[in-house]
Amino acid sequence: MKFFIISGMSGSGKSRAMATLEDLGYYCVDNMPVALIPAFAEICLAATGGQYERVALAVDARAGKDISNLLAAFDRIEEMGCEYKIIYLETTSPTLINRYKATRRKHPLMTEGVTMIDAIEQERELLTPIRARADYTVDTSRLEVAQLRETIISLATGTNGSLLHINVLSFGFKYGIPADADLVFDVRFLPNPYYEISLREKTGQDPQVRNYVFCDGTADRYLDRLFSLLDFLIPHYTKEGKAVLTIAIGCTGGRHRSVAIAEAVNKHMLDMGILTTATHRDSHKG
C-alpha cells in the first residue's frame, strides 16, 4: 500500500497536490479528523486490493486544537505497520498574502483582531513539527500549477530522480534584475553585437549574433567555468529539495549577449537530462 500525507500552509497548493494524486488513482481524503486517522489506516491495511491500495490524506491547521495530537496519530499508524510518506508544501508569507488577495478568500485562522500575516505566522508555527517530520518539503512559492503537478507525480511514481526545474532567464540590466532570480551572471564583458548595424535588430538566438558573441573565444572560456560551477551547485540544490532554480543571465539590453549565453546554458542543462526552460525577458525590447 502507498500512503501519502499532504500537509503545509493554507494556500500552498495542497488541493492541487491532492487532485494530482487523485488523477494517479489515489483514494484521497481532505481534512480527516485526527482521531480517525489510525482507524482509517487500519481499514486500509485490512483491505486486500481495490481502492485502498493507494491512499492520500491532507492534514493541516484546519484540524484546530487536534493538530497537537497529529504526531501521536502518525506514531500510532507506524506501530500498526503502515508505511507512509509526508509531503510538506512550503510557501513564503508574501506569496501567500498575494494568493489570498487574488482569490479574495480569508485565511482559515483569521479571526476578529487577527491580521492575515498574524494568521499565516501562527499557522507556520503550528505546522513546524509536521514540517520537521516531512519526508519531502516542496517550496511552491515560484511553482506554476504544471510544475507542482510534475513534482507530485515525480514523488508519487519515482519516475524522475530530480525534482529540480531550472529556468534559464536572459535579461537586460537597464530594465532591472529579475526579482525571482536565484543566481545572477553578468555577461556585459563579452563582445557586443549592438555596435554592428547588421546585427543590432537581431537577437542572441540568431546564429550570426551568436558567432559574434563567441568570436574571440572569451565566451567559450567563460562557459567552461560557468558550467563547472553549475555542475557543482545543481546536485546540492537538488539534495536540499529545491523545486525551481532561476539562473538569470544579464547584459545591457537583454537582446544579444545574455540571450546567446542563456541558450548555451539551457542546452547544457538539457544535455545533462535536467528539466529546464529558457526565457528571454527583454529580447523584444529596443
Side-chain angles (χ1 to χ4, degrees):
M1 180 180 69
K2 287 190 174 182
F3 196 126
F4 280 103
I5 294 171
I6 308 294
S7 190
M9 302 293 291
S10 300
S12 62
K14 295 189 299 296
S15 296
R16 295 284 185 181
M18 291 290 279
T20 300
L21 289 173
E22 194 166 36
D23 289 343
L24 291 174
Y26 279 74
Y27 184 89
C28 297
V29 182
D30 187 19
N31 198 27
M32 174 177 285
V34 173
L36 297 182
I37 292 177
F40 178 71
E42 188 174 10
I43 292 172
C44 294
L45 288 170
T48 55
Q51 61 182 343
Y52 298 130
E53 286 187 344
R54 290 181 287 184
V55 175
L57 300 181
V59 294
D60 51 47
R62 290 173 296 171
K65 295 179 180 179
D66 283 348
I67 199 168
S68 60
N69 299 320
L70 195 53
L71 295 185
F74 293 165
D75 291 337
R76 176 72 186 106
I77 65 176
E78 275 186 352
E79 292 169 0
M80 293 162 52
C82 178
E83 297 182 3
Y84 64 90
K85 298 289 185 182
I86 299 176
I87 301 175
Y88 186 91
L89 304 185
E90 178 66 278
T91 311
T92 64
S93 296
T95 301
L96 290 173
I97 291 172
N98 289 336
R99 289 178 183 177
Y100 273 105
K101 285 182 178 178
T103 60
R104 299 183 179 181
R105 295 182 60 207
K106 188 176 78 170
H107 190 281
L109 296 185
M110 283 183 68
T111 56
E112 187 176 352
V114 177
T115 65
M116 182 174 292
I117 188 64
D118 290 338
I120 289 172
E121 294 309 315
Q122 179 184 349
E123 180 183 37
R124 200 180 299 281
E125 184 177 350
L126 283 172
L127 295 177
T128 296
I130 303 174
R131 187 185 190 282
R133 193 151 169 175
D135 297 280
Y136 311 103
T137 300
V138 179
D139 188 341
T140 69
S141 303
R142 298 175 183 170
L143 287 185
E144 300 292 338
V145 172
Q147 292 172 326
L148 175 58
R149 178 180 175 83
E150 288 174 0
T151 300
I152 297 300
I153 290 173
S154 177
L155 289 173
T157 63
T159 54
N160 184 352
S162 172
L163 302 179
L164 183 64
H165 180 97
I166 293 179
N167 292 328
V168 183
L169 174 65
S170 69
F171 73 96
F173 276 98
K174 70 178 183 179
Y175 301 113
I177 297 175
D180 60 345
D182 296 298
L183 300 172
V184 178
F185 297 98
D186 183 351
V187 296
R188 288 177 289 187
F189 62 90
L190 295 174
N192 192 352
Y194 178 83
Y195 297 108
E196 291 290 327
I197 300 301
S198 63
L199 302 179
R200 182 172 295 180
E201 298 305 316
K202 301 179 185 294
T203 74
Q205 291 177 291
D206 187 286
Q208 289 180 293
V209 174
R210 186 192 182 282
N211 290 339
Y212 188 94
V213 173
F214 283 78
C215 65
D216 65 357
T218 303
D220 288 305
R221 292 193 297 273
Y222 173 73
L223 283 176
D224 285 342
R225 290 161 175 78
L226 180 58
F227 291 164
S228 293
L229 175 62
L230 294 176
D231 291 349
F232 168 77
L233 290 174
I234 288 170
H236 290 283
Y237 281 118
T238 302
K239 183 178 178 181
E240 287 301 309
K242 192 169 182 63
V244 179
L245 178 71
T246 299
I247 302 171
I249 313 289
C251 62
T252 304
R255 187 180 186 90
H256 301 114
R257 293 168 290 180
S258 62
V259 173
I261 297 301
E263 286 290 323
V265 171
N266 186 61
K267 183 179 183 303
H268 179 71
M269 297 294 108
L270 291 173
D271 289 344
M272 292 174 63
I274 297 173
L275 183 64
T276 181
T277 55
T279 305
H280 306 300
R281 191 191 71 179
D282 302 323
S283 63
H284 64 288
K285 298 177 181 177

